[in-house]
Amino acid sequence: MSENHDIAIIGGGIMGCAAALRLASGGMAPIVLDRGDLGQGASGVNAGTLSLQIKRVRLMPYALKGHEEWARMGDAVGFRRTGGYTLAFTEREAELLTERQTLKAEAGAPIEFVTNNQVLSAEPNLTRRVLAASYCHEDGYANSSLTGQYYRGRLREASVPYRERCAVTSVTRDTQGFVLHTGGPPIKARRILLAAGAWLKPVAAMLGVDLPVNARINTVSVTERMPPLFATVIGHATGLLTMKQKGNGTILIGGGWQGRGTPQEGRGEVIADSLIPNLSLAQFALPKLGQARVLRSWTGFEANVPDFYPLAGELPGVPDAFVLGCVRGGYTIGPYIGRLMGDFILGHSPEMPLFNPGRDFEKDAT
């Protein structure tokens, strides 16, 4: 016997779950389906960095709202507002830092430039070779491994059904809407929202739409527990380093260095040519990191389109179908843009503009 819902959401990451919660609060009956576990994809394997200093200028208003969402979640997601420093070690990096952070400050981020002495006064274990630095008191982090647990609880509280390890193998249409085939009883819904992250391209193909989605394979590492070495989020002017020390003493190291693999093949593979430079840059910034052992390195897939802006709106050419994904900084922005997407589907005017999935990506890449 089939199930019937107002809308089926394919993808149980932050964005899909946040959209489901908004839709439920607006009177719709959604169901969330995920091929794995809720929050298991990019939402649950990233480094958890919540830094305004590494967000794109055009997305800054969304990132600021996203920070507010994470602060409201609080301890349930391990949210910590620590402040953060972004460092430059060469003249070229200093120019890059000044140019980028000035634009982000003008876009509303509370970023200020600080001296080397100010950095070392706050974080004495950092390298003395800082040429320029910026600081943002709003920066911090959350525990991405708590994503699934958090949203399971929220969905249960809102009486929103969800199915884990429920891969959608095909989607067809009937007079009532969409029929989703998962190997069990068909799931019927009047509308559909694709929020499948790095799997958006094959999912959209089930509806006859070719989305220009690619996937980055970002690498993250964690060290053994160390004595307290630094208290803030540390980044690099190029964006190739994020680093934070958790309350248990472990240090998480990221920065978007690429592994190998494709979403269709399963989890990506860590490669030495990316891992070693990432760890070397981290140790340069924090020399005492050389005393730590790396316990584990892993990868996570991050979806993107050619202009690196989100997909958020109606799926081109398919009535009653919507798509949400490819958000750079999706961990930070996800809870907020998911809520905007929910408003859009409910027929409300979103607080901020969405990002037309049918746009000319090459024209909008600037």
Side-chain angles (χ1 to χ4, degrees):
M1 184 175 179
S2 63
E3 301 178 41
N4 292 276
H5 304 272
D6 289 332
I7 184 167
I9 299 170
I10 302 178
I14 292 170
M15 286 178 257
C17 289
L21 290 168
R22 179 65 190 99
L23 290 166
S25 71
M28 276 195 184
I31 183 171
V32 178
L33 310 171
D34 197 280
R35 66 191 299 275
D37 296 326
L38 296 187
Q40 184 186 54
S43 298
V45 300
N46 66 85
T49 306
L50 299 171
S51 173
L52 296 173
Q53 299 188 72
I54 59 175
K55 300 300 180 288
R56 301 191 78 180
V57 172
R58 185 176 165 190
L59 295 180
M60 189 58 67
Y62 303 83
L64 288 163
K65 291 288 188 178
H67 266 239
E68 294 176 7
E69 297 276 345
W70 284 102
R72 278 192 287 270
M73 296 181 209
D75 289 341
V77 292
F79 173 77
R80 299 290 182 271
R81 183 184 283 110
T82 61
Y85 291 95
T86 300
L87 312 176
F89 305 129
T90 68
E91 291 287 354
R92 176 62 191 130
E93 291 171 4
E95 292 174 5
L96 196 64
L97 180 80
T98 300
E99 177 185 342
R100 290 180 174 178
Q101 306 300 48
T102 296
L103 290 173
K104 292 171 186 179
E106 291 172 351
I111 296 172
E112 59 182 312
F113 294 99
V114 293
T115 66
N116 189 12
N117 285 340
Q118 287 174 300
V119 175
L120 293 177
S121 175
E123 297 288 13
N125 288 317
L126 292 179
T127 177
R128 267 56 181 167
R129 297 174 66 179
V130 175
L131 197 61
S134 58
Y135 176 75
C136 179
H137 65 80
E138 284 292 318
D139 285 356
Y141 62 85
N143 185 343
S144 66
S145 66
L146 296 177
T147 301
Q149 175 181 315
Y150 174 78
Y151 277 109
R152 280 188 204 96
R154 289 287 310 280
L155 292 174
R156 283 195 295 265
E157 289 171 4
S159 298
V160 175
Y162 59 87
R163 303 282 185 274
E164 298 180 285
R165 304 187 185 182
C166 181
V168 176
T169 56
S170 65
V171 180
T172 57
R173 299 203 72 157
D174 64 13
T175 56
Q176 304 280 308
F178 298 92
V179 183
L180 289 75
H181 304 276
T182 65
I187 296 171
K188 295 186 176 183
R190 292 175 56 201
R191 304 170 186 83
I192 191 169
L193 169 61
L194 312 184
W199 287 265
L200 273 175
K201 188 176 184 71
V203 173
M206 296 178 191
L207 294 168
V209 178
D210 183 17
L211 291 177
V213 174
N214 296 306
R216 291 168 55 83
I217 310 98
N218 297 324
T219 302
V220 182
S221 301
V222 64
T223 73
E224 65 184 332
R225 297 185 181 193
M226 296 291 289
L229 295 179
F230 61 108
T232 56
V233 174
I234 303 300
H236 186 247
T238 61
L240 292 175
L241 175 67
T242 63
M243 186 165 55
K244 66 200 68 75
Q245 186 167 23
K246 299 299 216 39
N248 65 1
T250 60
I251 297 171
L252 274 174
I253 303 166
W257 293 79
Q258 296 298 285
R260 182 167 47 214
T262 67
Q264 290 70 35
E265 295 169 338
R267 291 205 178 275
E269 177 186 354
V270 176
I271 57 175
D273 288 348
S274 287
L275 180 62
I276 292 172
N278 189 195
L279 299 179
S280 297
L281 181 57
Q283 185 177 336
F284 183 89
L286 184 72
K288 288 188 177 181
L289 195 59
Q291 302 169 12
R293 292 177 296 180
V294 173
L295 294 182
R296 187 166 70 97
S297 299
W298 64 93
T299 59
F301 294 110
E302 179 188 30
N304 62 78
V305 289
D307 63 5
F308 289 96
Y309 285 107
L311 297 176
E314 297 175 328
L315 188 67
V318 185
D320 296 320
F322 306 86
V323 60
L324 175 60
C326 300
V327 182
R328 293 299 300 273
Y331 185 70
T332 300
I333 298 170
Y336 179 66
I337 201 166
R339 180 155 65 84
L340 293 183
M341 192 73 220
D343 282 334
F344 180 75
I345 295 170
L346 287 166
H348 305 322
S349 178
E351 182 180 41
M352 288 191 194
L354 292 177
F355 296 81
N356 178 18
R359 65 186 179 270
D360 183 338
F361 291 97
E362 299 303 325
K363 178 180 177 181
D364 291 348
T366 55

